[in-house]
């Protein structure tokens, strides 16, 4: 690698590893752009310089924005309000080539005491309406942004109020309709700007500005029902709600030669203008309030964040609208309320019954909607946000229903399988017992009914009924036959035990009687069907059930153990009995004789 190439690579590596350069401003006593147009002059983008000037403020912020037509004297008016010359303050169009593009802010705020709170007041200059080379949508974005950001919105109009000026206020009206009612109801979500109609004209004789505003807002006759006129009148009607939120003010022209205004001192200006200008400053100061969003004032960082959200909303749609603003502001609130619903539902231990899940869903949904109603922005357009929240809740509820269905199916399947295994075990008892089968049958039913919950319960109940019914029928069918065979086998065993083990003749005789009865008499006089319905058989069954199964003793469970104990006892008894027999002890039992005679010793 050549030396030159090595230096180039090293330089780029150094740039890549170096921390990003932080933009710094030494002198804030100047105007900075905060929002600029994109190259196509249709959308807006943030400017770093102005945002840095705002971010450094820690006090509550209030903004005074001036809007109006192109070349209507907005920048000069702001300089007058800030007591700055044209050389010091905002650039004035006829003096400089750099006219206002987008929205600019004066970097040094005016510190004011408002209701006992130290407030930093920024003054904003906006690009004029209706200039050449711009779209109407761009003007609307500038107007919308100034309307939302400002605490005081000065609508600077030369000479008179035109129909276009009224129509342009439709956006401000929508904002007022959405948010102002909540402010008056002490439920502050978003406080709209105070609107100040400022009309500058050459002669103040004739109608007052208040009369001009009232006249401009009067209904236009519409006897033929023209739709355009109806829309104009609708805007006029809606503007009435801003009556408590607007002020009209007149300002005479400062001098006849307007192109020389920046060169003139106060002593050279129209003194009536100077007087009214000072009065205007006091009016503006009297109506300024810190910017309130969701019940709290904003500092510099919060104000910039607020601006970013507004700009994002305005740039999303082709045409800025109140609805788009409301959606953006409500987005995070929607997420919080949806999370509240999810947290409440996640506390539920699944599975549960469908009615219980619906009840919890209803309560959680109501709580989420109530929380949204307490926090949301807007009144009319918020309905779309409420609808979106409701749709998201329903989607999430469907997921909980599916989870409940799965957990219910899983639980009921496990209980069903357990009962099925239990029924199979009861089919092959060592000692058949109807009482034990019924007890197991009842326990399965009760445990399934108690523990199987949720939407799958009905389906598994039907399966349980079929399975249990089949098991019961099979057990009853085999029960009498198995019991009969078991008794026959028992009688033969007792014959052997009585003959060869115990050698107790009465046991053998009883066993033979039982065997003969079961194998001959029942077959000769009773059919297999009638046997099981005979009272004597019922008595045998009752005796068997009493011996085999009871709450205290389950003979089937202990059959092997008891058999071993019986064998041990028999062996012990036999051994002990022989020893006694050798010693000449006489038994009271009619035992079998072993065939040997006992001879006297004397013989």
């Amino acid at each position: 690698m050549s030396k030159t190439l090595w230096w180039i690579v090293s330089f780029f590596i150094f740039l890549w590893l170096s921390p990003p350069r932080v933009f710094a401003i030494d002198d804030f006593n100047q105007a900075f752009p905060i929002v600029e147009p994109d190259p196509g002059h249709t959308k807006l983008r943030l400017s770093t310089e102005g945002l840095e000037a705002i971010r450094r403020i820690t006090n509550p912020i209030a903004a005074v924005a001036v809007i109006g037509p192109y070349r209507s004297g907005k920048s000069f008016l702001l300089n007058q309000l800030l007591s700055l010359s044209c050389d010091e303050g905002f650039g004035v169009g006829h003096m400089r080539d750099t006219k206002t593009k987008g929205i600019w802010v004066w970097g040094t705020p005016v510190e004011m005491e408002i209701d006992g709170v130290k407030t930093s007041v920024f003054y904003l200059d906006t690009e004029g309406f209706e200039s050449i080379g711009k779209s109407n949508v761009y003007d609307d974005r500038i107007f919308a942004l100034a309307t939302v950001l400002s605490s005081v919105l000065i609508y600077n109009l030369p000479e008179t109020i035109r129909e276009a000026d009224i129509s342009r206020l439709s956006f401000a009206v929508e904002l007022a309709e959405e948010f102002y009612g909540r402010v008056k109801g002490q439920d502050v979500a978003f406080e709209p700007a105070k609107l100040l109609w400022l009309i500058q004209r050459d002669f103040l004789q004739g109608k007052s500005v208040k009369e001009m505003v009232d006249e401009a807002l009067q209904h236009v006759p519409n006897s033929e029902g023209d739709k355009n006129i109806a829309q104009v009148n609708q805007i006029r009607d809606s503007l009435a709600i801003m009556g408590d939120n607007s002020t009209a003010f007149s300002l005479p022209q400062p001098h006849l030669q307007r192109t020389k205004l920046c060169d003139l001192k106060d002593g050279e200006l129209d003194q009536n203008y100077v007087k009214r200008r000072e009065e205007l400053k006091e009016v503006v100061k009297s109506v300024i309030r810190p910017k309130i969003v969701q019940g709290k004032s904003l500092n510099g960082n919060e104000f910039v964040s607020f601006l970013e959200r507004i700009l994002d909303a305005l740039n999303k749609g082709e045409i800025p609208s109140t609805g788009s603003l409301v959606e953006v502001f409500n987005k995070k609130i929607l997420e919080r309320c949806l999370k509240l619903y999810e947290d409440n539902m996640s506390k539920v231990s699944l599975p549960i019954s469908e009615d219980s899940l619906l009840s919890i869903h209803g309560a959680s949904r109501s709580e989420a909607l109530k929380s949204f109603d307490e926090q949301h922005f807007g009144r009319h357009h918020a309905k779309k946000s409420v609808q979106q929240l409701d749709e998201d809740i329903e989607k999430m509820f469907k997921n909980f229903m599916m989870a409940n269905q799965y957990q219910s199916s899983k639980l009921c399947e496990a209980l069903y399988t357990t009962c099925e295994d239990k029924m199979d075990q009861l089919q092959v008892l060592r000692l058949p017992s109807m009482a034990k089968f019924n007890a197991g049958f009842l326990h399965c039913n009760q445990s399934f009914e108690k523990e199987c919950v949720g939407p799958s319960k009905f389906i598994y109940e039907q399966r349980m009924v079929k399975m249990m019914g089949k098991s019961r029928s099979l057990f009853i069918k085999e029960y009498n036959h198995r019991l009969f065979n078991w008794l026959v086998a028992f009688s033969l065993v007792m014959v052997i035990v009585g003959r060869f083990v115990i050698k107790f003749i009465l046991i053998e005789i009883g066993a033979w009687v039982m065997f003969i009865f079961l194998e001959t008499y029942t077959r000769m006089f009773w059919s297999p069907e009638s046997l099981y319905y005979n009272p004597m058989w019922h008595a045998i069954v009752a005796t068997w059930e009493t011996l085999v199964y009871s709450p205290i003793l389950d003979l089937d469970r202990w059959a092997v153990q008891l058999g071993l104990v019986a064998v041990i006892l028999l062996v012990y008894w036999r051994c002990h009995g022989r020893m006694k027999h050798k010693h000449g002890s006489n038994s009271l039992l009619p035992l079998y004789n072993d065939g040997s005679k006992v001879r006297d010793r004397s013989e």
Side-chain angles (χ1 to χ4, degrees):
M1 182 184 293
S2 66
K3 189 174 182 179
T4 304
L5 183 59
W6 185 86
W7 278 108
I8 292 173
V9 171
S10 300
F11 175 73
F12 278 107
I13 292 174
F14 172 76
L15 290 178
W16 180 62
L17 294 176
S18 297
R21 177 175 172 265
V22 179
F23 185 84
I25 299 175
D26 296 327
D27 182 16
F28 286 99
N29 200 36
Q30 57 181 305
F32 300 98
I34 59 171
V35 174
E36 297 176 318
D38 65 0
H41 226 89
T42 56
K43 293 189 177 182
L44 301 170
R45 60 189 181 188
L46 297 173
S47 175
T48 308
E49 301 173 58
L51 299 185
E52 184 178 345
I54 296 174
R55 278 198 177 101
R56 65 193 179 93
I57 305 303
T58 57
N59 298 330
I61 283 180
V64 177
V66 178
I67 61 171
Y70 175 69
R71 300 296 295 274
S72 61
K74 298 184 299 300
S75 299
F76 178 78
L77 174 64
L78 279 166
N79 289 336
Q80 292 286 292
L81 293 175
L82 287 165
S83 301
L84 298 171
S85 68
C86 296
D87 292 325
E88 298 171 318
F90 290 98
V92 179
H94 65 270
M95 282 210 47
R96 299 179 184 177
D97 294 332
T98 56
K99 295 179 283 295
T100 306
K101 298 294 183 183
I103 299 179
W104 289 59
V105 62
W106 183 250
T108 304
V110 177
E111 303 296 337
M112 295 177 57
E113 194 85 14
I114 301 176
D115 297 332
V117 178
K118 188 178 181 180
T119 305
S120 297
V121 181
F122 279 105
Y123 284 80
L124 306 177
D125 192 10
T126 65
E127 187 171 351
F129 307 141
E130 303 165 357
S131 63
I132 299 172
K134 298 187 308 178
S135 66
N136 290 333
V137 173
Y138 176 78
D139 284 347
D140 290 341
R141 284 193 171 94
I142 292 288
F143 182 88
L145 194 55
T147 301
V148 177
L149 283 179
S150 60
S151 299
V152 178
L153 183 66
I154 301 177
Y155 201 168
N156 186 52
L157 299 171
E159 302 299 336
T160 187
I161 301 174
R162 302 171 302 164
E163 188 60 46
D165 301 324
I166 299 295
S167 299
R168 188 166 282 114
L169 280 173
S170 59
F171 187 86
V173 168
E174 283 191 58
L175 287 179
E177 285 182 325
E178 287 296 308
F179 304 119
Y180 190 56
R182 295 178 68 92
V183 175
K184 293 178 72 175
Q186 303 303 316
D187 185 10
V188 180
F190 180 106
E191 188 168 351
K194 187 81 171 179
L195 178 62
L196 176 59
W197 299 80
L198 180 63
I199 300 178
Q200 301 185 47
R201 50 182 178 159
D202 293 328
F203 304 98
L204 294 177
Q205 291 83 4
K207 298 176 183 176
S208 67
V209 174
K210 181 68 168 61
E211 290 173 338
M212 290 176 63
V213 172
D214 291 342
E215 186 177 295
L217 297 180
Q218 285 180 358
H219 266 226
V220 178
N222 188 20
S223 57
E224 297 181 1
D226 185 280
K227 291 184 179 179
N228 292 327
I229 297 177
Q231 186 175 2
V232 169
N233 286 333
Q234 185 177 357
I235 293 173
R236 282 166 161 73
D237 289 339
S238 58
L239 277 170
I241 69 169
M242 297 186 69
D244 295 336
N245 203 42
S246 64
T247 303
F249 195 88
S250 63
L251 193 64
Q253 294 295 339
H255 198 274
L256 292 178
Q257 295 182 345
R258 297 188 62 184
T259 57
K260 295 183 178 181
L261 288 177
C262 287
D263 300 325
L264 302 176
K265 305 297 183 183
D266 277 2
E268 301 173 271
L269 298 176
D270 188 312
Q271 292 306 301
N272 193 18
Y273 164 80
V274 174
K275 178 184 176 183
R276 293 291 290 174
R277 182 194 67 191
E278 296 305 314
E279 292 176 0
L280 176 61
K281 289 182 180 179
E282 295 303 318
V283 169
V284 172
K285 288 181 180 179
S286 68
V287 296
I288 288 177
R289 292 293 180 272
K291 190 63 186 177
I292 300 295
V293 176
Q294 283 192 293
K296 61 171 289 189
S297 57
L298 306 179
N299 60 27
N301 277 323
E302 292 165 340
F303 188 86
V304 171
S305 177
F306 181 62
L307 168 61
E308 290 171 346
R309 292 165 67 187
I310 298 168
L311 198 62
D312 180 58
L314 292 176
N315 283 334
K316 272 187 176 178
E318 294 183 0
I319 299 175
S321 66
T322 305
S324 63
L325 280 180
V326 168
E327 288 174 28
V328 169
F329 280 111
N330 284 336
K331 184 178 179 181
K332 290 188 177 179
I333 301 173
L334 280 173
E335 292 173 356
R336 288 200 300 270
C337 293
L338 193 62
K339 185 68 167 57
L340 174 64
Y341 170 82
E342 184 180 15
D343 290 343
N344 286 340
M345 293 296 290
S346 297
K347 295 175 183 176
V348 180
S349 180
L350 300 178
I352 59 173
S353 67
E354 287 184 296
D355 290 341
S356 298
L357 188 64
L358 280 170
S359 176
I360 295 170
H361 159 69
S364 301
R365 174 180 173 275
S366 298
E367 185 177 351
L369 292 176
K370 182 181 178 183
S371 177
F372 179 80
D373 186 59
E374 292 172 350
Q375 302 176 59
H376 75 81
F377 290 85
R379 292 190 296 172
H380 304 299
H381 288 282
K383 292 178 181 177
K384 187 173 181 180
S385 299
V386 172
Q387 184 180 357
Q388 180 64 46
L389 176 60
D390 212 13
E391 289 175 0
D392 291 343
I393 286 175
E394 287 302 318
K395 289 179 184 177
M396 192 170 287
F397 177 58
K398 287 180 181 178
N399 293 334
F400 278 105
M401 288 182 67
M402 291 174 62
N404 190 46
Q405 177 80 41
Y406 171 74
Q407 294 295 337
S408 174
S409 178
K410 184 178 178 182
L411 175 63
C412 293
E413 176 68 29
L415 291 169
Y416 174 83
T417 302
T418 301
C419 281
E420 192 175 38
D421 293 343
K422 181 68 175 176
M423 291 297 102
D424 290 343
Q425 292 171 9
L426 291 173
Q427 294 291 344
V428 291
L429 294 174
R430 297 186 187 90
L431 305 177
S433 170
M434 182 64 72
K436 185 172 183 177
F437 181 87
N438 288 337
F441 186 92
L442 182 62
H443 179 265
C444 261
N445 267 331
Q446 289 177 342
S447 62
F448 182 87
E449 183 66 27
K450 180 181 179 181
E451 297 176 29
C452 176
V453 293
S456 297
K457 183 173 184 177
F458 178 74
I459 297 173
Y460 277 90
E461 275 183 338
Q462 292 180 320
R463 290 181 60 185
M464 275 286 292
V465 168
K466 291 181 181 178
M467 184 271 291
M468 299 288 277
K470 185 178 179 181
S471 295
R472 189 179 184 87
S473 298
L474 182 62
F475 183 85
I476 293 173
K477 180 180 179 181
E478 297 295 327
Y479 172 75
N480 290 312
H481 183 65
R482 288 183 63 202
L483 178 58
F484 182 88
N485 291 337
W486 205 97
L487 290 174
V488 170
F490 176 75
S491 63
L492 289 175
V493 169
M494 293 308 295
V495 167
I496 295 171
V497 170
R499 176 71 178 176
F500 300 104
V501 180
I502 302 178
K503 294 185 178 181
F504 185 25
I505 193 171
L506 293 181
I507 292 178
E508 182 184 359
I509 293 171
W512 278 115
V513 171
M514 182 178 179
F515 177 79
I516 294 169
F517 173 78
L518 291 172
E519 285 294 327
T520 59
Y521 185 83
T522 56
R523 296 183 185 278
M524 292 175 60
F525 299 101
W526 294 338
S527 65
E529 293 78 11
S530 62
L531 168 64
Y532 301 137
Y533 294 99
N534 191 280
M536 185 179 292
W537 179 255
H538 288 172
I540 293 172
V541 169
T543 304
W544 170 263
E545 290 291 345
T546 303
L547 294 173
V548 170
Y549 181 80
S550 69
I552 300 173
L553 177 64
D554 181 2
L555 197 60
D556 182 74
R557 178 179 294 180
W558 300 99
V560 175
Q561 294 88 333
L562 291 174
L564 290 174
V565 171
V567 170
I568 293 171
L569 291 175
L570 282 172
V571 171
Y572 173 77
W573 181 77
R574 286 293 297 163
C575 294
H576 185 68
R578 284 181 178 181
M579 290 177 64
K580 282 190 174 183
H581 185 68
K582 287 180 180 180
H583 289 86
S585 62
N586 295 322
S587 175
L588 297 176
L589 296 176
L591 302 174
Y592 285 97
N593 201 334
D594 58 3
S596 61
K597 290 186 178 180
V598 179
R599 299 185 177 215
D600 198 323
R601 281 183 175 271
S602 60
E603 295 182 0

